[in-house]
């Protein structure tokens, strides 16, 4: 191709490189100049134009784009008409985009004139959606390079979703709430329906190997094309209950775990030709997670191997912003929910309740009793400040002036004048004073000086709404204690409490969102609210 400043005597049939505006006429970039165009240019006083003239071995841009697009388009792909050196690839069905990235790279590495851009492999696409584009960069492509690209081009296809019917097996423990199982079944059915598949029979059984094996065999006998397993307890080893159940049912465990977060604990196996998927805990939510990636491929009829799963780490960080509310399921918002967002550390506020009357302590205000050389409430504030929690708010009430005087002046204080009404009044006052942009709050009692910054940080590390860990309860040797970390969504319920009670009953009402966080020391169990307790603490 000859490119550059071209005399008008040689410009007829050349391709105009830059638009020119003439009196009553505009010549656009890419126009093949005609004799009439040359006359108009001369009349305008133009003597030369920057243009491209094709030579033998040059393939015009539109022709080259159409040829390469046709070489790449496989099943489920339509090609649009080429224009300005571009030819788009269009999905002809709902399904999963499939191609070999290495073949794409091979094409793009041949010549700078020929480029192909595609959506990421295994992306879910809709009929009519553009999935790729072939673009010829200059006005023509070298014929030899084009033929080389055509020979290397791997077929791009859309594997269409099939009307697969899946069975669901959920295991249960004595404490498992039926409402949790009901919700899981509903979300799973909706997940399948979005792909044109369906949820067939659901079975619920005890969380033991033999029961799981029996349920798997029954689901396959009922004609289901895949079986989904959801355990009452997360799979922690390939010999755990669910994988052992697959093996006892006569199957194999292909792979346990995946480099996708959320979705790390996915389990994949087969019983004969029937795929069996152990669903990770995050699949209780409609949010995008690693289970979706595997399910989408299987519904589209694409094989998923052990190696396929192990290669999912690129782009596998799907964790969403912790401050987002619980999964929104309205159809109009689902598309946004499926998009991964930037991961960031959650912002967890700390609320220290220091308004009580210390009735059991007698005449002493326990919050002002000396602990390690300083008032007990000051010791608790110091501990919280050394943790990752913040901002910190202190609720005062009884002897508010004395309590404030014992603490640093740069703290945020809120005065609960209704402190005599009990703990709920302090919670209500404190919650009302919290910043709006927090993701959660750790509610601390002012009489627990044996907690540590590490304990608070461990609660924060456990907090993950995407994984269903929205209430983080500390335990020591299995016994629950304080402080408790609450996700932001629970604050309205906590603010509505009444009487001398905390939010303990809410833990039972939202059991499926609770995570117990075991501690190495018993500080989460020890509060000092009597003279004897204070004496014992001082004696060590």
């Amino acid at each position: 191709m000859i490119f550059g400043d071209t005399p008008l005597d040689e410009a007829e049939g050349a391709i105009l490189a830059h638009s020119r505006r003439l009196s009553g006429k505009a010549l656009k970039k890419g126009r093949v100049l005609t004799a009439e165009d040359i006359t108009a240019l001369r009349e305008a006083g133009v003597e030369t134009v920057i243009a491209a003239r094709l030579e033998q071995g040059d393939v015009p841009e539109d022709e080259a784009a159409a040829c390469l697009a046709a070489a790449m388009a496989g099943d489920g792909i339509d090609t649009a008409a080429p224009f300005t050196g571009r030819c788009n690839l269009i999905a002809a069905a709902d399904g999963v985009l499939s191609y070999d990235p290495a073949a794409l790279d091979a094409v793009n590495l041949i010549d700078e004139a020929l480029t192909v851009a595609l959506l990421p492999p295994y992306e879910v696409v809709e009929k009519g959606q553009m999935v790729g584009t072939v673009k010829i960069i200059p006005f023509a492509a070298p014929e030899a390079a084009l033929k080389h690209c055509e020979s290397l081009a791997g077929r791009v296809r859309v594997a269409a979703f099939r009307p697969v019917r899946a069975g669901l097996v959920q295991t249960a423990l004595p404490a498992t709430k039926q409402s949790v199982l009901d919700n899981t079944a509903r979300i799973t059915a909706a997940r399948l329906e979005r792909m044109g598949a369906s949820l067939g029979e659901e079975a619920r059984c005890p969380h033991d190997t033999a029961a799981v094996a029996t349920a798997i065999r029954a689901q396959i006998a009922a004609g289901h094309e895949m079986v989904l397993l959801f355990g009452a307890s997360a799979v922690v080893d390939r010999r755990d209950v669910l994988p052992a159940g697959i093996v006892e049912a006569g199957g194999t465990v292909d792979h346990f775990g995946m480099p996708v977060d959320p979705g790390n604990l996915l389990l994949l196996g087969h019983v004969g030709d029937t795929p069996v998927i152990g669903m990770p805990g995050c699949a209780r939510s409609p949010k995008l997670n690693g289970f979706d990636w595997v399910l989408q491929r299987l519904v589209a009829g694409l094989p998923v191997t052990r190696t396929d799963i192990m290669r999912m780490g690129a782009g596998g960080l799907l964790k969403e912003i912790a401050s987002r509310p619980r999964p929104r399921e309205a159809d109009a918002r689902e598309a946004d929910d499926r998009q991964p967002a930037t991961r960031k550390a959650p912002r967890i506020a700390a609320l220290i309740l220091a308004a009580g009357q210390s009735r059991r302590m007698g005449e002493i205000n326990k919050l002002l009793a000396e602990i390690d050389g300083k008032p007990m409430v000051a010791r608790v504030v110091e501990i919280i400040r050394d943790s990752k929690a913040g901002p910190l708010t202190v609720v005062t009430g009884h002897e508010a002036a004395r309590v404030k005087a014992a603490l640093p002046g740069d703290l945020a204080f809120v005065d609960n004048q209704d402190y005599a009404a009990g703990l709920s009044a302090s919670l209500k006052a404190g919650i009302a004073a919290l910043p709006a942009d927090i993701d959660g709050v750790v509610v601390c009692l002012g009489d627990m000086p044996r907690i540590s910054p590490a304990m608070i940080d461990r609660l924060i590390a456990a907090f993950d709404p995407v994984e269903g860990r929205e209430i983080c309860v500390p335990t020591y040797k299995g016994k629950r204690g304080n402080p408790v970390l609450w996700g932001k969504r629970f604050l309205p319920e906590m603010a509505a409490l009444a009487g001398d009670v905390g939010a303990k009953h809410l833990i039972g009402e939202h059991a499926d969102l609770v995570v117990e966080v075991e501690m190495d020391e018993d500080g989460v169990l020890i509060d000092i609210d009597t003279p004897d307790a204070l004496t014992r603490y001082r004696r060590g």
Side-chain angles (χ1 to χ4, degrees), residues 383-404:
I383 291 166
I384 304 303
R385 277 194 153 178
D386 286 340
S387 75
K388 294 180 180 178
L392 192 157
T393 301
V394 180
V395 181
T396 59
H398 175 63
E399 296 187 341
R402 292 184 63 203
V403 171
K404 288 181 183 178

Side-chain angles (χ1 to χ4, degrees), residues 80-106:
F83 185 71
T84 62
R86 184 182 303 281
C87 188
N88 294 330
L89 304 177
I90 309 297
D94 296 346
V96 176
L97 183 65
S98 176
Y99 64 89
D100 180 2
L104 175 63
D105 289 343

Side-chain angles (χ1 to χ4, degrees), residues 175-456:
T176 302
K177 299 179 76 172
Q178 293 300 308
S179 60
V180 173
L181 303 182
D182 293 342
N183 190 55
T184 301
R186 179 179 59 82
I187 289 174
T188 302
R191 199 173 236 117
L192 289 163
E193 289 166 4
R194 285 197 295 267
M195 294 178 276
S198 63
L199 181 62
E201 297 178 12
E202 181 202 355
R204 298 178 182 181
C205 66
H207 189 71
D208 67 68
T209 299
V212 170
T214 299
I216 292 173
R217 286 191 290 263
Q219 295 283 27
I220 294 173
H224 294 109
E225 294 154 280
M226 71 172 67
V227 179
L228 308 178
L229 306 179
F230 212 119
S233 180
V235 178
V236 296
D237 188 272
R238 62 167 33 242
R239 293 155 295 191
D240 208 342
V241 171
L242 296 191
I246 295 173
V247 173
E248 187 165 319
T252 59
V253 174
D254 301 330
H255 193 69
F256 171 52
M258 69 188 310
V260 180
D261 185 14
N264 292 134
L265 299 184
L266 179 131
L267 169 70
L268 178 64
H270 280 81
V271 176
D273 294 329
T274 304
V276 182
I277 310 175
M279 300 161 66
C282 56
R284 292 194 192 276
S285 161
K287 298 281 188 177
L288 180 69
N289 61 78
F291 170 62
D292 289 293
W293 283 9
V294 173
L295 183 65
Q296 289 160 0
R297 295 195 200 185
L298 291 175
V299 172
L302 295 172
V304 181
T305 67
R306 171 183 174 87
T307 302
D308 291 331
I309 292 176
M310 297 172 85
R311 285 178 171 165
M312 290 181 177
L317 182 59
L318 306 178
K319 192 74 70 178
E320 300 198 32
I321 297 174
S323 59
R324 294 181 81 166
R326 278 205 85 197
R328 298 163 290 173
E329 299 177 44
D331 290 342
R333 306 172 79 173
E334 280 183 353
D336 289 341
D337 285 341
R338 298 190 198 123
Q339 299 301 316
T342 304
R343 185 175 185 176
K344 68 174 185 179
R347 189 172 188 230
I348 304 299
L351 189 63
I352 298 181
L353 305 183
Q357 294 175 282
S358 304
R359 291 190 180 97
R360 297 177 62 193
M361 188 63 76
E363 297 181 359
I364 301 174
N365 185 333
K366 63 180 177 181
L367 298 176
L368 301 176
E370 186 175 302
I371 297 288
D372 300 328
K374 60 190 67 177
M376 178 157 48
V377 68
R379 173 61 183 146
V380 173
V381 165
E382 182 179 86
I383 291 166
I384 304 303
R385 277 194 153 178
D386 286 340
S387 75
K388 294 180 180 178
L392 192 157
T393 301
V394 180
V395 181
T396 59
H398 175 63
E399 296 187 341
R402 292 184 63 203
V403 171
K404 288 181 183 178
L407 297 173
D410 60 345
L411 292 172
F413 292 94
V414 58
D415 190 20
N416 171 27
Q417 297 185 2
D418 194 25
Y419 61 87
L423 188 59
S424 64
S426 291
L427 272 173
K428 185 177 299 185
I431 288 168
L434 292 174
D437 60 347
I438 61 171
D439 302 313
V441 59
V442 57
V443 179
C444 308
L445 306 180
D447 62 352
M448 298 188 70
R450 286 190 59 181
I451 59 172
S452 69
M455 292 175 180
I456 304 298

Side-chain angles (χ1 to χ4, degrees), residues 133-182:
T133 186
V134 175
K135 172 63 178 171
I136 308 303
I137 302 301
F139 292 115
E143 184 179 17
L146 174 60
K147 289 186 179 300
H148 194 182
C149 286
E150 289 178 295
S151 71
L152 293 175
R155 289 290 185 173
V156 179
R157 70 187 185 103
V158 171
F161 288 134
R162 305 169 301 150
V164 170
R165 185 168 171 266
L168 175 63
V169 176
Q170 296 196 76
T171 70
L173 294 168
T176 302
K177 299 179 76 172
Q178 293 300 308
S179 60
V180 173
L181 303 182
D182 293 342

Side-chain angles (χ1 to χ4, degrees), residues 423 442-445 447-448 450-451 455-456 459 471-486 502-505 507 514-519 521-527:
L423 188 59
V442 57
V443 179
C444 308
L445 306 180
D447 62 352
M448 298 188 70
R450 286 190 59 181
I451 59 172
M455 292 175 180
I456 304 298
L459 291 174
I471 304 174
C472 302
V473 182
T475 61
Y476 178 71
K477 295 184 177 180
K479 186 175 181 180
R480 291 178 172 180
N482 281 296
V484 175
L485 193 163
W486 298 85
K504 185 176 180 180
H505 73 283
I507 295 175
V514 174
V515 58
E516 293 185 341
V517 185
E518 183 68 9
M519 301 296 172
E521 299 179 0
D522 63 355
V524 297
L525 305 180
I526 297 175
D527 59 350

Side-chain angles (χ1 to χ4, degrees), residues 452-465:
S452 69
M455 292 175 180
I456 304 298
D457 293 346
R458 194 176 177 104
L459 291 174
I460 295 173
F463 179 71
D464 193 331

